[in-house]
């Protein structure tokens, strides 16, 4: 078991978590929107865990790779670019993500982010119950809304939150309820959740408790049934949810590396997350909810590795795998580093 402490935060990992990162040749990023942190997890040269964090108010949605990261915050969508060349390091880090661009959307409660087949950003605009893209002129440009939403309004009517892409196009979304009134979803947290096909405008499966993070991977539509604590997949023909692994926490955020799913767990302390089926499931198993990451083997359903957070962080939102990255860092907006680190491109032709 590995421990890493940073002030009021302690990261504890399973014995083989670091070895797994090295074997898979990847690092992980995740957001903690309640405490407003972007975390980057990798491996130091001495083989110990590397934990790097930056502060962004209410950061949530996250998508990226070894070169680029996109992240949503309270009223902006950020694009980070790695400025290090191949083989170059900065203070022992092999990636340095710099915030280069921010779209100011206003507080639209942006949740999941994705990139389409053209490389354009798509985000779940939860406040306005639609999928949208950022714009240089407008706060956002709507792309799609559920057919049961009568009009776009800043009312968070169904709590649209998750997005799965299919060959670079938005395909599946999750919502907490099929409601068309202000904040109506809160009355249906136990089993009002649904998955919709955006191409067919049809409900694929329903009866979930606050579902999140739909993802297509290796031919299956994976899903977090957050209010129950179950990770599994949707049988799109039968419209059923096949449970694969129970996790002791409120699930949000998921990415994949080969056969492994990396999912985020939160402590369900907020009133929105309390009183759900998860409470009874935890009591039945005689465990408390915890906050962190679990690595699930999708073939066996076993939780093979984990990272647990203790201290000020109690709630995660999203997770991103950074392939080919050993030890990442990022610049933030709250210290002088961002003033001093400058890289120059070649002369324009």
């Amino acid at each position: 078991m590995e421990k890493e402490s940073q002030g009021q935060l302690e990261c504890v990992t399973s014995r083989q978590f670091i070895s797994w990162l090295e074997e898979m040749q990847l690092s992980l990023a995740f957001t903690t929107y309640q405490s407003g942190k972007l975390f980057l997890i990798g491996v130091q040269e001495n083989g110990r865990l590397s934990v790097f964090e930056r502060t962004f108010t209410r950061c949530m949605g996250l998508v990226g790779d070894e070169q680029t990261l996109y992240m949503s915050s309270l009223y902006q969508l950020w694009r980070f670019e790695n400025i290090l060349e191949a083989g170059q390091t900065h203070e022992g880090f092999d990636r340095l993500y710099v915030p280069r661009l921010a779209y100011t959307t206003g507080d639209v409660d942006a949740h999941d982010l994705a990139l389409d087949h053209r490389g354009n950003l798509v985000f779940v605009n939860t406040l306005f119950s639609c999928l949208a893209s950022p714009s240089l002129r407008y706060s956002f440009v709507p792309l799609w809304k559920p057919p049961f939403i009568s009009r776009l309004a800043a009312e968070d009517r169904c709590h649209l939150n998750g997005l799965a892409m299919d060959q670079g196009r938005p395909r599946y979304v999750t919502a907490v309820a099929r409601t068309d009134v202000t904040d109506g979803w809160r009355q249906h947290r136990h089993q009002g959740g649904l998955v919709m096909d955006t191409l067919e405008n049809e409900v694929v499966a329903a009866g979930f408790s606050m579902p999140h993070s739909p993802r297509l991977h290796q031919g299956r539509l994976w899903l977090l049934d957050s209010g129950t604590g179950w990770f599994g997949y949707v049988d799109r023909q039968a419209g059923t949810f096949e449970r694969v692994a129970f996790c002791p926490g409120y699930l949000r955020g998921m990415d994949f590396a080969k056969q492994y799913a990396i999912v985020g767990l939160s402590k369900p302390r907020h009133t929105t997350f309390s009183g759900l089926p998860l409470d009874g499931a935890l009591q039945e198993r005689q465990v408390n909810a915890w906050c962190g990451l679990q690595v699930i083997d999708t073939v066996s359903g076993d939780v093979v590795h984990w990272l647990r957070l203790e201290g000020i962080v109690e709630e995660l939102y999203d997770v991103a795998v950074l392939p080919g990255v050993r030890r990442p860092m990022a610049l933030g907006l709250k210290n002088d580093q961002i003033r001093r680190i400058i890289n120059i491109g070649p002369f324009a032709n």
Side-chain angles (χ1 to χ4, degrees):
M1 189 165 62
E2 176 80 12
K3 290 186 179 181
E4 181 74 21
S5 296
Q6 289 192 350
Q8 299 179 9
L9 176 70
E10 183 176 77
C11 295
V12 184
T13 70
S14 55
R15 291 178 58 190
Q16 302 300 323
F17 179 78
I18 296 176
S19 298
W20 180 78
L21 290 178
E22 294 186 303
E23 176 188 342
M24 298 294 291
Q25 298 183 10
L26 58 83
S27 294
L28 299 172
F30 61 88
T31 52
T32 68
Y33 91 93
Q34 192 178 46
S35 51
K37 299 290 185 181
L38 167 65
F39 277 90
L40 299 169
I41 304 296
V43 182
Q44 302 180 44
E45 292 182 1
N46 61 9
R48 293 183 62 84
L49 187 70
S50 173
V51 181
F52 193 93
E53 57 93 0
R54 289 300 190 194
T55 300
F56 290 86
T57 304
R58 206 173 187 269
C59 52
M60 293 181 64
L62 188 66
V63 66
D65 55 26
E66 68 275 12
Q67 182 59 35
T68 307
L69 278 177
Y70 286 90
M71 183 187 73
S72 69
S73 64
L74 179 61
Y75 54 86
Q76 291 173 305
L77 301 174
W78 288 95
R79 175 171 176 158
F80 297 76
E81 287 294 323
N82 167 52
I83 67 170
L84 300 182
E85 301 294 337
Q88 184 182 6
T89 61
H90 175 79
E91 298 178 353
F93 296 89
D94 66 338
R95 295 296 189 280
L96 173 52
Y97 293 100
V98 177
R100 288 300 194 208
L101 175 67
Y103 290 99
T104 301
T105 59
D107 185 0
V108 297
D109 199 18
H111 277 55
D112 278 12
L113 307 180
L115 295 174
D116 69 12
H117 61 291
R118 298 187 180 92
N120 297 321
L121 187 64
V122 179
F123 69 96
V124 180
N125 186 330
T126 301
L127 184 65
F128 284 85
S129 309
C130 69
L131 298 182
S133 62
S135 169
L136 295 178
R137 179 177 179 184
Y138 304 103
S139 296
F140 64 90
V141 175
L143 302 175
W144 176 89
K145 69 174 180 64
F148 56 82
I149 296 295
S150 57
R151 66 183 183 90
L152 299 184
E155 297 177 351
D156 188 9
R157 296 183 172 189
C158 63
H159 205 67
L160 193 72
N161 57 48
L163 171 62
M165 304 293 282
D166 185 7
Q167 298 181 352
R169 289 176 170 81
R171 183 63 189 271
Y172 299 101
V173 296
T174 49
V176 173
R178 186 171 179 159
T179 53
D180 192 30
V181 296
T182 304
D183 218 30
W185 60 271
R186 293 186 188 275
Q187 300 177 38
H188 303 275
R189 297 179 305 138
H190 284 72
Q191 52 187 351
L194 60 139
V195 180
M196 285 203 67
D197 184 330
T198 64
L199 296 184
E200 303 295 334
N201 276 338
E202 294 180 348
V203 174
V204 175
F208 300 100
S209 177
M210 299 189 71
H212 283 80
S213 310
R215 305 286 187 263
L216 279 172
H217 181 69
Q218 295 181 343
R220 282 182 170 171
L221 176 57
W222 298 92
L223 187 72
L224 303 178
D225 194 16
S226 307
T228 68
W230 281 96
F231 158 80
Y233 64 91
V234 174
D235 184 326
R236 287 171 279 176
Q237 297 298 321
T240 58
F241 179 64
E242 304 300 323
R243 292 176 168 182
V244 173
F246 176 80
C247 302
Y250 185 86
L251 298 175
R252 283 184 306 188
M254 177 164 55
D255 205 353
F256 288 85
K258 297 183 179 178
Q259 73 189 63
Y260 302 102
I262 302 91
V263 302
L265 288 75
S266 299
K267 295 181 180 180
R269 297 181 181 273
H270 192 280
T271 54
T272 301
F273 309 144
S274 63
L276 297 171
L278 174 63
D279 293 347
L282 293 170
Q283 186 175 7
E284 179 183 341
R285 292 167 173 80
Q286 298 185 23
V287 294
N288 295 321
W290 54 274
C291 178
L293 303 175
Q294 289 194 342
V295 180
I296 302 170
D297 186 329
T298 59
V299 176
S300 67
D302 294 339
V303 176
V304 292
H305 307 289
W306 50 264
L307 178 149
R308 187 167 179 165
L309 301 173
E310 297 287 354
I312 61 171
V313 176
E314 296 185 340
E315 198 172 315
L316 271 59
Y317 182 77
D318 213 351
V319 181
V321 169
L322 308 179
V325 179
R326 180 177 177 86
R327 190 186 182 199
M329 68 169 289
L331 294 187
L333 308 175
K334 297 183 178 297
N335 62 41
D336 282 347
Q337 263 191 317
I338 199 165
R339 296 172 56 188
R340 299 194 306 267
I341 294 180
I342 298 172
N343 66 325
I344 303 173
F347 277 101
N349 294 328

